[in-house]
Structure formats: C-alpha cells, structure tokens
Amino acid sequence: MSEYKKVWKYFLVTEDYKEEAWLREMALEGYFLESVTGGVHYTFSKKEAGDYTYLVDYRGMFEKAERAYLELFEESGFEYVTCTMGYCYFRAKTDENVTKMRKGEKQRKGEKYVQLRGVMLIIGLLNLFIYGMNMIVNTGILQGEQGMNTESVLFSQINLICGLLLLLIYGIMNSRIKKIRTSQQEELEQTTSDKVAKVMMFVILTCLGIACVVAIGSFLVGVF
Amino acid sequence: MDEKIIKKYLPLTETTYYILLCMEKPNHGYAIMQQVDEMTAGAVILGPGTLYGATTKLVKDGVIALVEGEGGERKKSYILTPLGREILKREYVRLGALIANGKPIIEGMV
C-alpha cells in the first residue's frame, strides 16, 4: 500500500530554485511529488528514497502541455510528473547530465519574470486608477459636501496600498530580470528583495481578505 | 522578406544563434540540444524548456518551419525558412565585421 503525504506550501514566483530544492529534499526523504493543486497544495507518495532533481517549467497560464513538449523532456531524461496553473513539473534521477540541463533552464526562468512583470504592472496601475476615481467621485470634489461617502473613501485605501505594493514588486522583478541576464551563476540565490516581496504578497492578500470581509459584512448589515 | 522580424532578431542571442545553426537541415529537439552542447564544448547548454520555448517562438515568427516526420516517425523536425537563412547570414556578416574591425587593435595588445 502506498502512503500519501499532503503539504500546504507557498512559493513566490521568484522562488523557483527554492521550490525545486525543496522537492529534491522531499525525494531524499522518500516523498515523491504526485500532484499540485492551486499552486499551494502538494501531494506526495511514499516510495524508496533517492536523489532526484526536479524541473519546474513555466508554460504560461493558458498553454496546454502538448505531446511534443512532454516528449522533449522525456528524451532529455526527465519524467513528467504533473502540470498545474501553467507550471509543469518534471523529475529525473540526479546525475551530471541532469544537473547540466537544469543549468540550461536559467534563461527560461528569466522569460517567466518578463511575462509576470507585465501582469504586476497592469494590476498595480489598475488599483491606483480605482483609488483615484474613488477619491474624485466620493470625496465630494465634484458634488460638494453632500457627495462625500466616507465608507468608500476608507475602503479605497486598500486599492492604494495594493497598487503601490504591486508596483514595488514590479520593480523587484525588474532587478531580478537584469540579474538573470547578467550573472554567470548557475542559480540565483535568494536576496533580501525576494523576502520583502514575499512579505508584501502576504500584506496584499491580507488586505484583500479584509476587503472581502468588510464587503460581505456591510452587505449583510444592509440586508438585515 | 520581413524586415521587421529581421530587426527584432538581430543581433541574435547566443542561444538563438546556435539553435538556428542546427536547423540548416531538418533537425529535431533532442538532437539540437546535443549538437549545441558538442559544438560549444559544453559552454552553451539548452534545457528542454528553453529549447521548446525558443522553437515555438521561432515557428510563430516564420524564422523556422515544422517538417512532417518521414515514414513512421512522428517526431517534430524543424528547418530554417528563407527568412531564417537571411537572419543567420546577416548575423554572420555582423560578427565577421566585429572580428575584422577588432583584429588589428586586439592582436596588437600585449
């Protein structure tokens, strides 16, 4: 009977090497990745422990894993594990060749940041735009004192915070891309800015959480 | 010939240059990875994800084309299009000029 282990874990988009290293450690303990749900819930099955190298390849959110794509990894010695939310996971017994292949994927990881950087910028600017509109419409600039809507104004501070934080993350990703293009290192180490980015993601998620609770709360109050 | 695409690709990145070099004749994914490794004595390594991403983009831009597998082979092969050949030739001329222009100065250095 095989035994399963489920783990909740969250990696930031810039932490691919950290994720791969963690999956390798799990394999060393005998836990082999089976599937990933929603990018945060990992399922492992218990097998004989071994040294396995993982590759996490970003395909793009709406790309399907075509047969030719999977075959190329197979030919290169990698076993297909699973694909989720635009990410595909591959595994191979660690050897010289596999380590070399992994080194050859650095550029690819850089491309991923370029794609995601755009998303951060758009959502960030959108948030600032919503904040700006809210200030204009609800602070009574147009309608005078009567048009003031204090609740909306307070509520929109969340847009301001999220917008600014997302723009900061955009900046961090920018410097990361530059580093990837210029560094000769095989792997990029975690920098302080990555840790800062992770904390910021948590702040944003918390803000959104609070926003949801407030929205649902005020809705319920309105109903009853 | 689409000048816009030629301009977009020149100067070629190291990776793209070697990928294109390997596609003068129909060639498939894994063989390209091995040839680039051999040609550069391991200095340029292509991972499978990198190669797949690059070829997808090159096909979309019409720099290379898919070749139907011969006989029972259903493996995808790629070959340079006339546009791809033009890009590679221009890059070769560009690189040659770099070398020629630098030669008298650099070889005179002690």
Side-chain angles (χ1 to χ4, degrees):
Chain A
M1 273 305 277
S2 61
E3 188 191 320
Y4 287 93
K5 179 174 180 151
K6 288 169 194 284
V7 183
W8 290 89
K9 207 165 170 77
Y10 172 69
F11 290 97
L12 204 66
V13 286
T14 54
E15 292 182 319
D16 3 41
Y17 288 118
K18 206 173 161 190
E19 182 178 15
E20 287 173 358
W22 176 66
L23 291 172
R24 186 177 176 182
E25 270 168 39
M26 291 299 281
L28 283 170
E29 288 169 26
Y31 292 104
F32 287 73
L33 185 67
E34 288 287 335
S35 66
V36 186
T37 317
V40 288
H41 190 233
Y42 295 77
T43 305
F44 295 89
S45 64
K46 180 90 177 136
K47 286 175 195 161
E48 200 187 324
D51 189 1
Y52 284 83
T53 296
Y54 279 85
L55 267 188
V56 183
D57 190 58
Y58 181 66
R59 285 276 293 149
M61 213 44 138
F62 305 107
E63 299 283 333
K64 278 194 198 123
E66 298 149 7
R67 194 163 66 186
Y69 170 75
L70 299 178
E71 272 176 2
L72 189 56
F73 277 88
E74 262 165 41
E75 276 184 286
S76 316
F78 286 89
E79 167 202 353
Y80 166 72
V81 181
T82 181
C83 277
T84 177
M85 297 180 78
Y87 288 87
C88 289
Y89 293 75
F90 299 91
R91 161 176 65 214
K93 196 133 184 98
T94 307
D95 63 24
E96 205 180 304
N97 190 43
V98 163
T99 313
K100 211 166 69 180
M101 292 280 177
R102 183 157 174 258
K103 192 175 145 192
E105 296 288 40
K106 198 179 80 174
Q107 191 194 343
R108 174 88 163 157
K109 296 195 193 295
E111 283 164 19
K112 180 184 84 172
Y113 301 153
V114 174
Q115 275 188 30
L116 292 169
R117 177 176 66 167
V119 178
M120 294 284 163
L121 186 64
I122 291 166
I123 302 176
L125 289 176
L126 205 67
N127 262 298
L128 291 182
F129 176 72
I130 293 171
Y131 173 71
M133 291 308 281
N134 235 312
M135 291 311 273
I136 292 170
V137 174
N138 292 321
T139 48
I141 293 172
L142 297 179
Q143 300 96 333
E145 283 298 308
Q146 294 93 330
M148 180 102 169
N149 185 341
T150 329
E151 252 175 57
S152 290
V153 172
L154 285 175
F155 197 62
S156 204
Q157 307 292 342
I158 291 168
N159 286 123
L160 178 67
I161 296 168
C162 287
L164 291 177
L165 289 179
L166 282 166
L167 289 187
L168 250 164
I169 292 181
Y170 170 80
I172 290 172
M173 293 187 92
N174 243 344
S175 68
R176 186 95 180 158
I177 289 164
K178 234 176 249 162
K179 212 180 284 170
I180 279 207
R181 285 188 180 149
T182 50
S183 97
Q184 296 298 317
Q185 273 171 286
E186 282 174 35
E187 292 186 19
L188 284 169
E189 279 153 30
Q190 288 300 115
T191 55
T192 341
S193 63
D194 288 322
K195 283 171 199 145
V196 173
K198 194 160 188 175
V199 171
M200 278 195 258
M201 278 313 272
F202 277 118
V203 173
I204 289 174
L205 290 175
T206 317
C207 281
L208 290 177
I210 293 170
C212 284
V213 170
V214 170
I216 294 167
S218 55
F219 174 73
L220 289 177
V221 168
V223 169
F224 302 111
Chain B
M1 210 65 72
D2 196 337
E3 283 296 327
K4 223 173 158 184
I5 289 187
I6 295 178
K7 281 222 179 76
K8 179 180 152 192
Y9 276 94
L10 292 176
L12 288 175
T13 62
E14 221 177 22
T15 322
T16 316
Y17 181 70
Y18 282 114
I19 291 175
L20 293 183
L21 275 185
C22 293
M23 291 178 177
E24 205 258 313
K25 292 191 181 79
N27 208 346
H28 66 88
Y30 187 57
I32 295 168
M33 286 161 69
Q34 286 176 315
Q35 280 167 24
V36 172
D37 188 356
E38 273 169 37
M39 214 189 284
T40 64
V44 176
I45 304 282
L46 299 175
T50 306
L51 181 62
Y52 196 83
T55 46
T56 311
K57 211 174 92 199
L58 289 165
V59 169
K60 217 169 87 189
D61 284 337
V63 178
I64 58 173
L66 269 170
V67 186
E68 285 303 311
E70 289 160 37
E73 253 199 288
R74 53 180 180 81
K75 226 180 247 172
K76 268 188 186 175
S77 286
Y78 304 93
I79 190 163
L80 287 179
T81 61
L83 178 66
R85 284 170 183 274
E86 179 65 24
I87 290 176
L88 203 49
K89 275 183 199 160
R90 283 203 203 176
E91 179 69 359
Y92 182 72
V93 171
R94 192 188 72 87
L95 291 172
L98 285 182
I99 298 292
N101 295 339
K103 205 171 182 175
I105 296 166
I106 293 168
E107 287 191 357
M109 288 180 185
V110 185

